[in-house]
Coordinates of all heavy atoms in Angstrom, one line a residue:
Q11 N 0.8 -1.2 0.0 CA 0.0 0.0 0.0 C 0.9 1.3 0.0 O 0.5 2.2 -0.7 CB -0.9 0.0 1.2 CG -2.0 -1.0 1.2 CD -2.9 -1.0 2.4 OE1 -2.8 -0.1 3.2 NE2 -3.8 -1.9 2.5
D12 N 1.9 1.2 0.7 CA 2.8 2.4 0.8 C 3.4 2.8 -0.5 O 3.5 3.9 -0.9 CB 3.8 2.3 1.9 CG 4.8 1.2 1.7 OD1 4.4 0.2 1.0 OD2 5.9 1.2 2.2
R13 N 3.8 1.8 -1.3 CA 4.4 2.0 -2.6 C 3.4 2.6 -3.6 O 3.7 3.4 -4.4 CB 5.0 0.8 -3.2 CG 6.2 0.3 -2.3 CD 7.0 -0.8 -2.9 NE 7.9 -1.4 -2.0 CZ 8.9 -0.9 -1.3 NH1 9.0 0.4 -1.2 NH2 9.7 -1.7 -0.5
I14 N 2.1 2.2 -3.5 CA 1.1 2.7 -4.3 C 0.9 4.2 -4.0 O 0.7 5.0 -4.9 CB -0.2 1.9 -4.2 CG1 0.0 0.5 -4.8 CG2 -1.4 2.6 -4.9 CD1 -1.1 -0.5 -4.5
K15 N 0.8 4.5 -2.7 CA 0.6 5.9 -2.3 C 1.8 6.8 -2.7 O 1.6 7.9 -3.2 CB 0.4 6.0 -0.8 CG -0.9 5.4 -0.4 CD -1.2 5.4 1.1 CE -2.5 4.7 1.4 NZ -2.9 4.7 2.7
I16 N 3.0 6.2 -2.6 CA 4.2 7.0 -3.1 C 4.1 7.2 -4.6 O 4.4 8.3 -5.0 CB 5.5 6.2 -2.7 CG1 5.7 6.3 -1.1 CG2 6.7 6.8 -3.4 CD1 6.8 5.4 -0.6
A17 N 3.7 6.2 -5.3 CA 3.6 6.3 -6.8 C 2.6 7.3 -7.2 O 2.7 7.9 -8.2 CB 3.3 5.0 -7.4
N18 N 1.6 7.6 -6.3 CA 0.6 8.6 -6.6 C 1.0 10.0 -6.1 O 0.1 10.8 -5.9 CB -0.8 8.2 -6.0 CG -1.4 7.1 -6.9 OD1 -1.7 7.4 -8.0 ND2 -1.7 6.0 -6.3
G19 N 2.2 10.1 -5.7 CA 2.7 11.4 -5.3 C 2.2 11.9 -3.9 O 2.2 13.1 -3.7
G20 N 1.8 11.0 -3.1 CA 1.4 11.3 -1.8 C -0.1 11.8 -1.7 O -0.6 12.2 -0.7
K21 N -0.7 11.8 -2.9 CA -2.1 12.2 -2.9 C -3.0 11.2 -2.2 O -2.7 10.0 -2.3 CB -2.6 12.3 -4.4 CG -1.9 13.4 -5.2 CD -2.3 13.3 -6.6 CE -1.4 14.2 -7.5 NZ -1.5 13.8 -8.9
P22 N -4.1 11.6 -1.6 CA -4.9 10.6 -0.9 C -5.5 9.6 -1.9 O -6.1 10.1 -2.9 CB -6.0 11.5 -0.2 CG -5.5 12.9 -0.3 CD -4.5 13.0 -1.4
V23 N -5.4 8.4 -1.7 CA -6.0 7.3 -2.5 C -6.5 6.3 -1.6 O -6.1 6.1 -0.5 CB -4.9 6.7 -3.5 CG1 -4.5 7.7 -4.5 CG2 -3.8 6.1 -2.7
E24 N -7.5 5.5 -2.1 CA -8.1 4.4 -1.4 C -7.0 3.4 -1.1 O -6.1 3.1 -2.0 CB -9.2 3.8 -2.2 CG -10.6 4.2 -1.7 CD -11.6 3.4 -2.4 OE1 -11.8 2.2 -2.2 OE2 -12.3 4.1 -3.2
D25 N -7.1 2.7 0.0 CA -6.2 1.6 0.3 C -6.4 0.5 -0.7 O -7.6 0.1 -1.0 CB -6.3 1.1 1.7 CG -5.7 2.0 2.8 OD1 -4.9 2.9 2.4 OD2 -6.0 1.9 3.9
V26 N -5.4 -0.1 -1.2 CA -5.4 -1.2 -2.1 C -4.7 -2.4 -1.5 O -3.5 -2.2 -1.1 CB -4.8 -0.8 -3.5 CG1 -4.8 -2.0 -4.4 CG2 -5.6 0.3 -4.1
I27 N -5.3 -3.5 -1.5 CA -4.6 -4.7 -1.0 C -4.5 -5.6 -2.3 O -5.5 -6.0 -2.8 CB -5.4 -5.4 0.1 CG1 -5.5 -4.5 1.3 CG2 -4.7 -6.7 0.5 CD1 -6.4 -5.0 2.4
L28 N -3.2 -5.8 -2.7 CA -3.0 -6.6 -3.9 C -3.2 -8.1 -3.6 O -2.9 -8.6 -2.5 CB -1.6 -6.3 -4.4 CG -1.4 -4.9 -4.8 CD1 0.0 -4.6 -5.3 CD2 -2.4 -4.5 -5.9
A29 N -3.6 -8.9 -4.6 CA -3.9 -10.3 -4.5 C -2.6 -11.2 -4.4 O -2.1 -11.6 -5.4 CB -4.8 -10.7 -5.6
R30 N -2.2 -11.4 -3.2 CA -1.1 -12.3 -2.9 C -1.4 -13.7 -3.5 O -0.5 -14.4 -4.0 CB -0.8 -12.4 -1.4 CG -0.5 -11.1 -0.8 CD -0.6 -11.2 0.7 NE -2.1 -11.2 1.0 CZ -2.6 -11.2 2.2 NH1 -1.8 -11.2 3.2 NH2 -3.9 -11.2 2.4
Q31 N -2.7 -14.1 -3.5 CA -3.0 -15.4 -3.9 C -2.7 -15.6 -5.4 O -2.4 -16.6 -5.9 CB -4.5 -15.6 -3.7 CG -5.0 -17.0 -3.9 CD -4.3 -18.0 -3.0 OE1 -4.2 -17.8 -1.8 NE2 -3.9 -19.1 -3.5
D32 N -2.9 -14.5 -6.2 CA -2.6 -14.5 -7.6 C -1.1 -14.9 -7.8 O -0.8 -15.8 -8.7 CB -2.9 -13.2 -8.2 CG -2.8 -13.2 -9.7 OD1 -3.7 -13.8 -10.3 OD2 -1.9 -12.7 -10.3
L33 N -0.2 -14.4 -7.0 CA 1.2 -14.8 -7.2 C 1.4 -16.2 -6.8 O 2.2 -17.0 -7.4 CB 2.1 -13.8 -6.3 CG 3.6 -14.0 -6.5 CD1 4.0 -13.7 -7.9 CD2 4.3 -13.1 -5.5
L34 N 0.7 -16.7 -5.7 CA 0.9 -18.1 -5.3 C 0.3 -19.0 -6.4 O 0.9 -20.1 -6.7 CB 0.1 -18.4 -4.0 CG 0.7 -17.8 -2.7 CD1 -0.3 -18.1 -1.6 CD2 2.0 -18.4 -2.5
D35 N -0.8 -18.7 -7.1 CA -1.4 -19.5 -8.1 C -0.6 -19.5 -9.4 O -0.5 -20.5 -10.0 CB -2.8 -19.1 -8.4 CG -3.7 -19.3 -7.2 OD1 -3.4 -20.0 -6.3 OD2 -4.8 -18.6 -7.2
C36 N -0.1 -18.3 -9.8 CA 0.5 -18.2 -11.1 C 2.0 -18.0 -11.2 O 2.6 -18.3 -12.2 CB -0.2 -17.0 -11.8 SG -2.0 -17.2 -12.0
G37 N 2.6 -17.5 -10.1 CA 4.0 -17.1 -10.1 C 4.9 -18.3 -10.5 O 5.8 -18.1 -11.3
E38 N 4.8 -19.4 -9.8 CA 5.7 -20.5 -10.0 C 5.7 -21.0 -11.5 O 6.7 -21.2 -12.1 CB 5.4 -21.6 -9.1 CG 6.5 -22.7 -9.1 CD 6.3 -23.8 -8.0 OE1 5.2 -23.9 -7.5 OE2 7.3 -24.5 -7.8
S39 N 4.5 -21.2 -12.0 CA 4.4 -21.6 -13.4 C 4.9 -20.7 -14.4 O 5.3 -21.0 -15.5 CB 2.9 -22.0 -13.7 OG 2.1 -20.8 -13.7
M40 N 5.1 -19.4 -14.0 CA 5.6 -18.4 -14.9 C 7.1 -18.1 -14.6 O 7.7 -17.2 -15.1 CB 4.8 -17.1 -14.7 CG 3.4 -17.2 -15.1 SD 3.0 -17.8 -16.7 CE 3.6 -16.5 -17.7
G41 N 7.7 -18.9 -13.7 CA 9.1 -18.8 -13.4 C 9.4 -17.8 -12.3 O 10.6 -17.4 -12.2
F42 N 8.5 -17.5 -11.5 CA 8.7 -16.5 -10.4 C 8.4 -17.1 -9.0 O 7.3 -17.3 -8.6 CB 7.8 -15.3 -10.6 CG 8.1 -14.5 -11.8 CD1 7.3 -14.7 -13.0 CD2 9.2 -13.7 -11.9 CE1 7.5 -14.1 -14.1 CE2 9.4 -13.0 -13.1 CZ 8.6 -13.2 -14.2
G43 N 9.5 -17.5 -8.3 CA 9.3 -18.1 -7.0 C 8.9 -19.5 -7.0 O 8.8 -20.2 -8.0
H44 N 8.6 -20.0 -5.8 CA 8.2 -21.4 -5.6 C 7.0 -21.5 -4.7 O 6.9 -22.3 -3.8 CB 9.4 -22.2 -5.0 CG 10.6 -22.0 -5.7 ND1 10.8 -22.7 -6.9 CD2 11.8 -21.3 -5.5 CE1 12.0 -22.4 -7.4 NE2 12.6 -21.6 -6.6
A45 N 6.0 -20.7 -5.0 CA 4.7 -20.7 -4.3 C 4.9 -20.6 -2.8 O 5.6 -19.7 -2.3 CB 3.8 -21.8 -4.7
C46 N 4.4 -21.6 -2.1 CA 4.5 -21.6 -0.6 C 5.9 -22.0 -0.1 O 6.2 -22.0 1.1 CB 3.5 -22.4 0.0 SG 1.8 -21.7 -0.1
N47 N 6.7 -22.5 -1.1 CA 8.1 -22.9 -0.7 C 9.1 -21.8 -0.8 O 10.3 -22.1 -0.8 CB 8.5 -24.1 -1.6 CG 7.6 -25.3 -1.3 OD1 7.3 -25.6 -0.1 ND2 7.2 -26.0 -2.3
G48 N 8.7 -20.6 -1.0 CA 9.6 -19.5 -1.0 C 9.9 -18.8 -2.3 O 9.3 -19.2 -3.3
G49 N 10.6 -17.8 -2.3 CA 10.9 -17.0 -3.4 C 11.7 -15.7 -2.9 O 12.2 -15.7 -1.8
N50 N 11.8 -14.7 -3.8 CA 12.4 -13.5 -3.3 C 11.6 -12.3 -3.8 O 10.8 -12.4 -4.7 CB 13.9 -13.4 -3.7 CG 14.1 -13.4 -5.2 OD1 13.5 -12.5 -5.9 ND2 14.8 -14.3 -5.8
V51 N 11.9 -11.2 -3.2 CA 11.1 -10.0 -3.5 C 11.3 -9.5 -5.0 O 10.4 -9.0 -5.6 CB 11.5 -8.8 -2.5 CG1 12.9 -8.3 -2.8 CG2 10.4 -7.7 -2.6
H52 N 12.4 -9.8 -5.6 CA 12.6 -9.5 -7.0 C 11.6 -10.2 -7.9 O 11.1 -9.6 -8.8 CB 14.0 -9.8 -7.5 CG 14.3 -9.5 -8.9 ND1 14.1 -10.4 -9.9 CD2 14.6 -8.3 -9.6 CE1 14.3 -9.9 -11.1 NE2 14.6 -8.6 -10.9
D53 N 11.4 -11.5 -7.6 CA 10.4 -12.2 -8.3 C 9.0 -11.6 -8.2 O 8.2 -11.5 -9.2 CB 10.3 -13.7 -7.8 CG 11.4 -14.5 -8.3 OD1 12.1 -14.1 -9.2 OD2 11.6 -15.6 -7.7
V54 N 8.6 -11.1 -7.1 CA 7.3 -10.5 -6.9 C 7.2 -9.2 -7.7 O 6.2 -9.0 -8.5 CB 7.1 -10.1 -5.4 CG1 5.8 -9.3 -5.2 CG2 7.1 -11.3 -4.5
F55 N 8.2 -8.3 -7.7 CA 8.2 -7.1 -8.5 C 8.2 -7.4 -10.0 O 7.5 -6.7 -10.7 CB 9.3 -6.1 -8.0 CG 9.0 -5.5 -6.7 CD1 9.9 -5.7 -5.7 CD2 7.8 -4.8 -6.4 CE1 9.7 -5.1 -4.4 CE2 7.6 -4.3 -5.2 CZ 8.5 -4.4 -4.2
E56 N 9.0 -8.4 -10.4 CA 9.1 -8.7 -11.8 C 7.8 -9.3 -12.3 O 7.3 -9.0 -13.4 CB 10.3 -9.6 -12.1 CG 10.5 -9.9 -13.5 CD 10.8 -8.6 -14.3 OE1 11.3 -7.6 -13.8 OE2 10.6 -8.6 -15.6
Y57 N 7.2 -10.1 -11.5 CA 5.9 -10.7 -11.9 C 4.8 -9.6 -12.0 O 4.1 -9.5 -13.0 CB 5.4 -11.7 -10.8 CG 4.0 -12.3 -11.1 CD1 3.9 -13.4 -11.9 CD2 2.9 -11.7 -10.6 CE1 2.7 -14.0 -12.2 CE2 1.6 -12.3 -10.8 CZ 1.5 -13.4 -11.6 OH 0.3 -13.9 -11.9
M58 N 4.8 -8.7 -11.1 CA 3.9 -7.6 -11.1 C 4.1 -6.7 -12.3 O 3.2 -6.2 -13.0 CB 4.0 -6.7 -9.8 CG 3.4 -7.4 -8.6 SD 3.7 -6.5 -7.1 CE 3.0 -4.9 -7.4
R59 N 5.4 -6.4 -12.7 CA 5.7 -5.6 -13.8 C 5.2 -6.3 -15.1 O 4.6 -5.6 -16.0 CB 7.2 -5.4 -13.9 CG 7.6 -4.4 -15.0 CD 9.1 -4.3 -15.2 NE 9.7 -5.5 -15.7 CZ 9.7 -5.8 -17.0 NH1 9.0 -5.0 -17.9 NH2 10.2 -6.9 -17.5
Q60 N 5.4 -7.6 -15.2 CA 5.0 -8.3 -16.5 C 3.6 -8.6 -16.6 O 3.0 -8.6 -17.7 CB 5.8 -9.6 -16.6 CG 7.3 -9.3 -16.9 CD 8.0 -10.6 -17.1 OE1 7.5 -11.6 -17.7 NE2 9.3 -10.7 -16.8
Y61 N 2.9 -9.0 -15.5 CA 1.6 -9.5 -15.5 C 0.5 -8.7 -14.7 O -0.6 -9.0 -14.8 CB 1.6 -11.0 -15.1 CG 2.5 -11.8 -15.9 CD1 3.7 -12.3 -15.3 CD2 2.2 -12.2 -17.2 CE1 4.5 -13.1 -16.1 CE2 3.0 -13.0 -17.9 CZ 4.2 -13.4 -17.4 OH 5.1 -14.2 -18.1
G62 N 1.0 -7.8 -13.9 CA 0.1 -7.0 -13.1 C -0.4 -7.9 -11.9 O 0.0 -9.1 -11.8
L63 N -1.0 -7.3 -11.0 CA -1.5 -8.0 -9.8 C -2.9 -7.5 -9.4 O -3.0 -6.3 -9.1 CB -0.5 -7.9 -8.6 CG -0.5 -9.0 -7.6 CD1 -0.3 -10.3 -8.2 CD2 0.5 -8.6 -6.5
P64 N -3.9 -8.3 -9.5 CA -5.3 -7.7 -9.2 C -5.5 -7.4 -7.7 O -4.7 -7.8 -6.9 CB -6.2 -8.8 -9.7 CG -5.4 -10.1 -9.5 CD -4.0 -9.7 -9.8
D65 N -6.5 -6.7 -7.5 CA -6.9 -6.4 -6.1 C -7.3 -7.7 -5.4 O -7.7 -8.7 -6.0 CB -8.1 -5.5 -6.1 CG -8.5 -5.0 -4.7 OD1 -8.0 -4.0 -4.3 OD2 -9.4 -5.7 -4.1
D66 N -7.1 -7.8 -4.1 CA -7.4 -9.0 -3.3 C -8.8 -9.4 -3.4 O -9.1 -10.6 -3.2 CB -7.0 -8.7 -1.8 CG -7.0 -10.0 -1.0 OD1 -6.2 -10.9 -1.3 OD2 -7.7 -10.0 0.0
T67 N -9.7 -8.5 -3.6 CA -11.1 -8.9 -3.7 C -11.4 -9.7 -5.0 O -12.4 -10.4 -5.1 CB -12.0 -7.6 -3.8 OG1 -11.7 -6.9 -5.0 CG2 -11.9 -6.8 -2.6
C68 N -10.4 -9.8 -5.9 CA -10.6 -10.6 -7.1 C -10.1 -12.0 -6.9 O -10.6 -12.9 -7.6 CB -9.8 -10.0 -8.3 SG -10.3 -8.4 -8.7
N69 N -9.2 -12.2 -6.0 CA -8.6 -13.5 -5.8 C -8.2 -13.6 -4.3 O -7.1 -13.3 -4.0 CB -7.4 -13.7 -6.7 CG -7.0 -15.2 -6.8 OD1 -7.5 -16.1 -6.1 ND2 -6.0 -15.5 -7.7
N70 N -9.1 -13.9 -3.5 CA -8.9 -13.9 -2.1 C -7.8 -14.8 -1.6 O -7.7 -15.9 -2.1 CB -10.2 -14.3 -1.3 CG -11.3 -13.2 -1.5 OD1 -11.0 -12.0 -1.5 ND2 -12.5 -13.6 -1.6
Y71 N -7.1 -14.4 -0.6 CA -5.9 -15.1 -0.1 C -6.4 -16.3 0.7 O -7.2 -16.2 1.6 CB -5.1 -14.2 0.8 CG -3.8 -14.8 1.4 CD1 -2.8 -15.2 0.5 CD2 -3.7 -14.9 2.7 CE1 -1.7 -15.8 1.1 CE2 -2.5 -15.4 3.3 CZ -1.5 -15.9 2.4 OH -0.4 -16.4 2.9
V72 N -5.9 -17.5 0.4 CA -6.3 -18.7 1.1 C -5.0 -19.4 1.7 O -5.1 -20.5 2.2 CB -7.1 -19.7 0.2 CG1 -8.4 -19.1 -0.1 CG2 -6.3 -20.2 -1.0
A73 N -3.8 -18.8 1.5 CA -2.6 -19.3 2.1 C -2.1 -20.6 1.6 O -1.3 -21.2 2.2 CB -2.7 -19.4 3.6
E74 N -2.5 -21.0 0.4 CA -1.9 -22.1 -0.3 C -2.3 -22.0 -1.8 O -3.3 -21.4 -2.2 CB -2.5 -23.4 0.2 CG -4.0 -23.6 0.1 CD -4.5 -24.9 0.7 OE1 -4.1 -25.2 1.8 OE2 -5.3 -25.5 0.1
P75 N -1.4 -22.6 -2.6 CA -1.7 -22.5 -4.1 C -3.0 -23.3 -4.4 O -3.2 -24.3 -3.8 CB -0.5 -23.1 -4.7 CG 0.6 -23.2 -3.7 CD -0.1 -23.2 -2.4
K76 N -3.8 -22.8 -5.3 CA -5.0 -23.5 -5.7 C -4.7 -24.6 -6.7 O -5.7 -25.3 -7.1 CB -6.0 -22.5 -6.2 CG -6.5 -21.5 -5.2 CD -7.5 -20.5 -5.8 CE -7.9 -19.5 -4.8 NZ -8.6 -18.4 -5.4
G77 N -3.5 -24.7 -7.1 CA -3.1 -25.8 -8.0 C -2.9 -25.5 -9.5 O -2.1 -26.1 -10.2
S78 N -3.5 -24.4 -9.9 CA -3.2 -24.0 -11.3 C -3.5 -22.5 -11.5 O -4.2 -21.9 -10.7 CB -4.1 -24.8 -12.3 OG -5.4 -24.5 -12.1
C79 N -2.9 -22.0 -12.6 CA -3.2 -20.6 -12.9 C -4.2 -20.5 -14.0 O -3.9 -20.9 -15.2 CB -1.8 -20.0 -13.3 SG -2.0 -18.3 -13.8
Q80 N -5.3 -20.1 -13.7 CA -6.4 -19.9 -14.7 C -6.6 -18.5 -15.0 O -7.0 -17.7 -14.2 CB -7.7 -20.6 -14.2 CG -7.6 -22.0 -13.9 CD -7.3 -22.9 -15.1 OE1 -7.8 -22.6 -16.2 NE2 -6.4 -23.9 -15.0
P81 N -6.3 -18.0 -16.3 CA -6.5 -16.6 -16.6 C -7.9 -16.1 -16.3 O -8.1 -14.9 -15.9 CB -6.2 -16.5 -18.0 CG -6.1 -17.8 -18.6 CD -5.9 -18.8 -17.4
Y82 N -8.9 -16.9 -16.4 CA -10.3 -16.5 -16.1 C -10.6 -16.5 -14.6 O -11.7 -16.1 -14.2 CB -11.3 -17.3 -17.0 CG -11.1 -17.0 -18.4 CD1 -10.5 -18.0 -19.2 CD2 -11.4 -15.8 -19.0 CE1 -10.3 -17.7 -20.6 CE2 -11.2 -15.5 -20.3 CZ -10.6 -16.5 -21.1 OH -10.4 -16.2 -22.4
G83 N -9.7 -17.0 -13.8 CA -9.9 -17.0 -12.4 C -9.3 -15.7 -11.8 O -9.5 -15.4 -10.6
R84 N -8.6 -14.9 -12.6 CA -8.1 -13.6 -12.2 C -9.2 -12.6 -12.5 O -10.0 -12.8 -13.3 CB -6.9 -13.3 -13.0 CG -5.7 -14.3 -12.9 CD -4.6 -13.9 -13.7 NE -3.8 -13.0 -12.9 CZ -3.2 -11.9 -13.4 NH1 -3.3 -11.6 -14.6 NH2 -2.5 -11.1 -12.6
C85 N -9.0 -11.5 -11.8 CA -10.0 -10.4 -12.0 C -9.6 -9.8 -13.4 O -8.4 -9.5 -13.6 CB -9.8 -9.4 -10.9 SG -11.2 -8.2 -10.7
M86 N -10.6 -9.6 -14.2 CA -10.3 -9.2 -15.6 C -10.9 -7.8 -15.8 O -11.9 -7.5 -15.3 CB -10.8 -10.2 -16.6 CG -10.3 -11.6 -16.4 SD -8.6 -11.7 -16.6 CE -8.5 -12.3 -18.3
N87 N -10.2 -7.0 -16.6 CA -10.8 -5.8 -17.2 C -10.2 -5.6 -18.6 O -9.5 -6.5 -19.1 CB -10.5 -4.6 -16.3 CG -9.0 -4.3 -16.1 OD1 -8.2 -4.5 -17.0 ND2 -8.7 -3.7 -15.0
C88 N -10.4 -4.6 -19.2 CA -10.0 -4.4 -20.6 C -8.6 -3.8 -20.7 O -8.1 -3.7 -21.8 CB -11.0 -3.4 -21.3 SG -12.6 -4.1 -21.4
M89 N -7.9 -3.5 -19.6 CA -6.6 -3.0 -19.7 C -5.6 -4.1 -19.6 O -5.5 -4.9 -18.7 CB -6.3 -2.0 -18.5 CG -5.0 -1.4 -18.5 SD -4.8 -0.3 -17.1 CE -4.0 -1.4 -16.0
V90 N -4.8 -4.2 -20.7 CA -3.7 -5.3 -20.7 C -2.5 -4.6 -20.1 O -2.1 -3.5 -20.4 CB -3.4 -5.7 -22.1 CG1 -2.3 -6.7 -22.2 CG2 -4.7 -6.3 -22.7
V91 N -1.8 -5.4 -19.1 CA -0.6 -4.9 -18.5 C 0.5 -5.8 -18.9 O 0.5 -7.0 -18.7 CB -0.7 -4.9 -17.0 CG1 0.6 -4.5 -16.3 CG2 -1.9 -4.1 -16.5
G92 N 1.5 -5.3 -19.6 CA 2.6 -6.1 -20.1 C 2.2 -7.3 -20.8 O 1.5 -7.3 -21.8
D93 N 2.7 -8.5 -20.4 CA 2.4 -9.8 -21.0 C 1.2 -10.5 -20.4 O 1.1 -11.7 -20.5 CB 3.6 -10.7 -21.0 CG 4.8 -10.1 -21.8 OD1 4.5 -9.4 -22.8 OD2 5.9 -10.4 -21.5
A94 N 0.3 -9.8 -19.7 CA -0.8 -10.4 -19.0 C -1.6 -11.3 -19.9 O -2.2 -12.3 -19.5 CB -1.7 -9.4 -18.4
D95 N -1.7 -11.0 -21.2 CA -2.5 -11.8 -22.1 C -1.8 -13.1 -22.4 O -2.4 -14.0 -23.1 CB -2.8 -11.1 -23.4 CG -1.6 -10.6 -24.1 OD1 -0.6 -10.3 -23.5 OD2 -1.7 -10.5 -25.4
K96 N -0.6 -13.3 -22.0 CA 0.2 -14.6 -22.3 C 0.2 -15.5 -21.1 O 0.9 -16.5 -21.1 CB 1.6 -14.2 -22.6 CG 1.7 -13.4 -23.9 CD 3.1 -13.0 -24.2 CE 3.1 -12.1 -25.5 NZ 4.4 -11.4 -25.7
L97 N -0.6 -15.3 -20.1 CA -0.7 -16.2 -18.9 C -1.2 -17.5 -19.4 O -2.0 -17.6 -20.3 CB -1.6 -15.7 -17.8 CG -1.0 -14.6 -16.9 CD1 -2.1 -14.0 -16.1 CD2 0.1 -15.1 -16.1
P98 N -0.7 -18.6 -18.9 CA -1.1 -20.0 -19.3 C -2.6 -20.2 -19.1 O -3.2 -19.6 -18.3 CB -0.3 -20.9 -18.5 CG 0.2 -20.2 -17.3 CD 0.2 -18.7 -17.7

């Protein structure tokens, strides 16, 4: 949340909680981290840069991978971020 506020120049913005579950579900299959078995912060930022990360309300955190990365299980809108359309 703090990085989002900094990126908005300190202007008041609604709190945003990004979907950690999305990274658990999709990150490992895309070469970023090892789901619940660890990873590093660089993987998180690189995944976000390439594929975006939806709001937590789109993919609620359940503290374990759901088994697969389904693009239609992610919160969708018409804005493509990086290679988001290339998710398996």
Side-chain angles (χ1 to χ4, degrees):
Q11 291 182 6
D12 61 335
R13 297 193 191 304
I14 293 170
K15 290 178 182 182
I16 290 168
N18 281 303
K21 298 175 192 159
V23 293
E24 262 187 67
D25 284 344
V26 175
I27 299 174
L28 299 174
R30 301 161 287 181
Q31 190 65 44
D32 190 70
L33 187 62
L34 287 176
D35 294 342
C36 301
E38 186 172 21
S39 66
M40 301 304 292
F42 297 100
H44 305 287
C46 291
N47 295 318
N50 65 56
V51 72
H52 178 267
D53 284 344
V54 174
F55 288 122
E56 187 59 25
Y57 178 86
M58 288 173 59
R59 185 185 73 76
Q60 289 186 32
Y61 303 106
L63 205 57
D65 185 87
D66 192 57
T67 59
C68 297
N69 194 354
N70 292 324
Y71 183 62
V72 295
E74 62 183 41
K76 294 178 184 170
S78 66
C79 178
Q80 301 295 323
Y82 296 106
R84 302 180 84 221
C85 199
M86 304 298 263
N87 63 31
C88 297
M89 185 180 90
V90 175
V91 178
D93 294 330
D95 59 330
K96 296 177 185 166
L97 283 170

